Amino acid sequence: EDLEDCTITDLGFTLSVMADGETGCWSQISCALSEPVSFDALVDCTSNILVSGDDIEICNEGEANIEVYASEPNSTIIVNTIDNPNVTGESFTSSEGVFTNSAAIFTDNLVNTGSNVEIVQYIFYARSDNSICKGPEFTLEVTIYPELIVEFAPTYVCEGLCTDISPVVIGGNGNYVDYDWNTGANGSSLNVCPTSPTTYSVTVMDD
């Protein structure tokens, strides 16, 4: 039959076991060594449904607003999450998530519990309601940067002298672009000439 317009089609198979070297008996069941074995199968002729979305980068303890869409209307999207032991807050690590109407939209509040950059992978696929086969898998990655920490070592300067002070910065994405000192200055270091014990503070931002 012409299967071009089918959605799901019944397909039956019949197998016959023949003796070694036996020929010419495919239609003559009498020369087979056993009764034919028949079984039914389904052929799914629906087109593959694709899933798409954008990777996300967030700060530690941030919200990952995940939006994924299917290429065909009225599709069901299924998602499973690969558990990252250094991240908490992932959805669908123990059971799959199911979304209808061709869209999977949800928010995860992710916490990076370590000091390294961590990635959580969400695996999506879609299928239509009348299909028995799933479409190609699509992986969406969420990158969670570790907490940005700013510290100072104790600094001493003799009266009448000046010195440069610089913070020790770790975490974040590693590209620190803005240093705002409480003196109004900017830059990764600050030249100070205190005449009495003085407190200096800085706010550091990455990109």
Side-chain angles (χ1 to χ4, degrees), residues 63-138:
E63 290 186 349
N65 298 309
I66 297 169
E67 297 186 13
V68 168
Y69 298 93
S71 60
E72 300 292 337
N74 302 316
S75 300
T76 297
I77 298 177
I78 294 88
V79 55
N80 289 278
T81 306
I82 299 176
D83 183 37
N84 184 326
N86 297 318
V87 176
T88 62
E90 309 112 307
S91 300
F92 314 120
T93 55
S94 58
S95 60
E96 65 182 19
V98 179
F99 297 85
T100 57
N101 299 320
S102 300
I105 301 174
F106 60 95
T107 299
D108 275 356
N109 295 284
L110 301 176
V111 178
N112 184 339
T113 60
S115 58
N116 299 315
V117 177
E118 299 292 343
I119 295 176
V120 175
Q121 292 184 321
Y122 298 83
I123 312 299
F124 295 87
Y125 68 87
R127 63 178 168 220
S128 63
D129 291 339
N130 60 350
S131 173
I132 61 173
C133 298
K134 70 178 188 180
E137 290 187 347
F138 165 76

Side-chain angles (χ1 to χ4, degrees), residues 8-9 20 43 89 109 128 164 173 175:
I8 296 178
T9 300
D20 289 344
V43 175
N109 295 284
S128 63
D164 289 334
N173 67 8
N175 188 25

